[in-house]
Amino acid sequence: MKEQIFEIIKAAIDELNEELEYEELEQVTPDTPIFGGDSGIDSLSLVRLVVEVEAGVSEAFDAEVTLADEKAMSSRNSPYRSVATFTDFVLARVEGQHS
Amino acid sequence: MVFRGQTTSYAELHALVEAQRGFLAARGVAAGSVVALRGDFSPQTIALLLALFEHRAVVALIPTGSADVAGLCEQVAADVLIEVRDETAVCVPRGPGGPYHPLVDGLRDQGGAGFVVFSSGSSGRPKPVLHSLDRFLQKYQAGGKPFVTLSFLLLDHIAGIDTLFYILYSGGVLVAPEARSTGAVCRLIESAKVQVLPVSPSFVNLLWLSVDYERHDLSSVEIVTCGSEPMTPGVLDHLAMMFPRAVVKQKYGTSEFGSPASRSRGDDQRWIRMEAEGFETKVVDGILYVKSQTTMLGYLDDGDPVVVDGWFNTGDRVEQDGPWLRILGRDSELINVGGEKVFPSEVEAVIEQVAQVAECFVYGESNPIIGSMVCAAVRPVGESDLKALKKKIKQRCGAQLSRYKVPAKITFSTRPLTNERQKKVRRPVSS
């Protein structure tokens, strides 16, 4: 499932990057930074990415998950730091749905 | 002033203003002209703005992110458009300006300078808000403490103008960011030892998410002012974590009267008290009215005057507790995306231009990252390739609208959207 979620996130970033054309987002790996520091995307793009991934997850797993809420925002470590942290976060949310 | 690592002293700024005066003369910009100015905080932009004010011009501050500069110039009947890019001013004559709006004529007849900021109009078309410079400046005359302040809010917003005048009149230091990413802002705070940080609640959320605050020394910050969106407890918690030494002040302001001095209640900072000289408030049916010497002269449109006996209806719903007010936000369909206002009708008009769209409905959905996000429900014509259609809609919106207005979420429906609309409209988004 983790692999599949990674692919969903990768596809969403690829789509977003068709517009942004950021060099560092051309080859998406788990280490690719998403939000924070000087690399990565801005807030509007982050919102769009989250929405796309929510839609992707809903289609793939038939699970309605929310990937941006107060809980995600208040955790000490942002889930949006990198593709790897976001993948883990989505996985936890999807598993939470099914359990 | 600190910009791109260089410091410009007040004496140097004065010399730049002189130079810009020469630039205006050379370009034949007459005294009392209506000038559209587009540029972010920088020594040259500020020098130009001051030179224009000295020239008794009426300066329309064009949003740097605007997708329709020509339209805005037309709305104010600008004589000339000046853009500052990379510290070089470029002057584009727009033919003989005018006829001006009667309010502009009135101001010019008195030999007064003025400025125009654009507020989100109720139809989605930006409304030009005309201020008299002399009236607006009265409140700064007393000066204040000279702080090192980061000009986070844009120069084309009333809050940015407020930051500028406060600094100039108090002899403070203005630190102008080149980019407003969390990393860039944190670096500047550290290197320039910024004391006052005016931001929006959304930026506070972003700073928190980015964890950039841990990578830099932000201990110089003494005051954080927060405005343009209602404050939430989450934002206050984040501020307390990131700036434990700083005083947090919630600001309330509008394009129509600026932002008065205010203080927050100790036990809950969402309650504020505005008690500036020459500033009065009243609450009628839960809606806030303001009377102030800094109130605009009026909108430059054909609409009815909205200031009655000096009282301006803010349209904002508030809660009242003695002298304390809590701002709940606009009672309308308006979507507040990180402090930027979006009217659904404006976005709907663009989406409906796409050939395969039969009908669409734009609404706001609350989003913890940026307050609210723009969403669109679309009913396509017949059997359309939805993926391709979604892309097309996003492209069309991207080409015609400012970025924050482009829907983040697009959903499709085969049924008429009337029900959806009623349901959503009855439950307006708390912005």
Side-chain angles (χ1 to χ4, degrees), chain B residues 363-408:
Chain B
Y363 58 98
E365 218 173 83
S366 81
N367 179 288
I369 301 169
I370 50 169
S372 309
M373 63 177 175
V374 179
C375 303
V378 173
R379 180 165 64 88
V381 176
E383 299 275 307
S384 301
D385 174 353
L386 297 183
K387 212 161 182 174
L389 182 55
K390 191 161 155 183
K391 206 165 172 179
K392 210 168 196 172
I393 292 171
K394 284 197 171 171
Q395 274 168 353
R396 175 66 71 115
C397 289
Q400 294 190 20
L401 298 168
S402 302
R403 258 189 92 224
Y404 63 89
K405 296 178 182 171
V406 178

Side-chain angles (χ1 to χ4, degrees), chain A residues 67-75 77-80 89 93, chain B residues 209:
Chain A
L67 300 175
D69 54 21
E70 287 303 333
K71 209 171 157 207
M73 295 291 296
S74 58
S75 68
N77 286 310
S78 154
Y80 316 117
F89 175 73
R93 287 280 162 118
Chain B
L209 282 178

Side-chain angles (χ1 to χ4, degrees), chain A residues 15-16 18-20 22 35-38 42-52 54-55 59 66-70 72-81, chain B residues 181-184 187 205-215 232 234 238 241 337 367-370 373 387 390-391 394-395 403-410:
Chain A
E15 195 194 313
L16 194 64
E18 276 179 32
E19 250 171 74
L20 301 175
Y22 289 171
F35 190 79
D38 286 322
D42 72 357
S43 57
L44 287 169
S45 299
L46 175 62
V47 170
R48 277 177 58 177
L49 177 67
V50 167
V51 168
E52 282 303 320
E54 281 174 357
E59 208 176 301
T66 304
L67 300 175
D69 54 21
E70 287 303 333
M73 295 291 296
S74 58
S75 68
R76 196 75 181 88
N77 286 310
S78 154
Y80 316 117
R81 276 168 294 152
Chain B
S181 66
T182 51
R187 249 197 321 277
N205 281 338
L206 299 179
L207 188 56
W208 171 258
L209 282 178
S210 73
V211 208
D212 283 328
Y213 64 93
E214 281 188 350
R215 301 188 191 105
T232 63
H238 293 163
M241 288 285 293
V337 182
N367 179 288
I369 301 169
I370 50 169
M373 63 177 175
K387 212 161 182 174
K390 191 161 155 183
K391 206 165 172 179
K394 284 197 171 171
Q395 274 168 353
R403 258 189 92 224
Y404 63 89
K405 296 178 182 171
V406 178
K409 189 187 219 171
I410 299 175

Side-chain angles (χ1 to χ4, degrees), chain A residues 16 64 67 72 83 85:
Chain A
L16 194 64
E64 297 298 326
L67 300 175
V83 171
T85 60

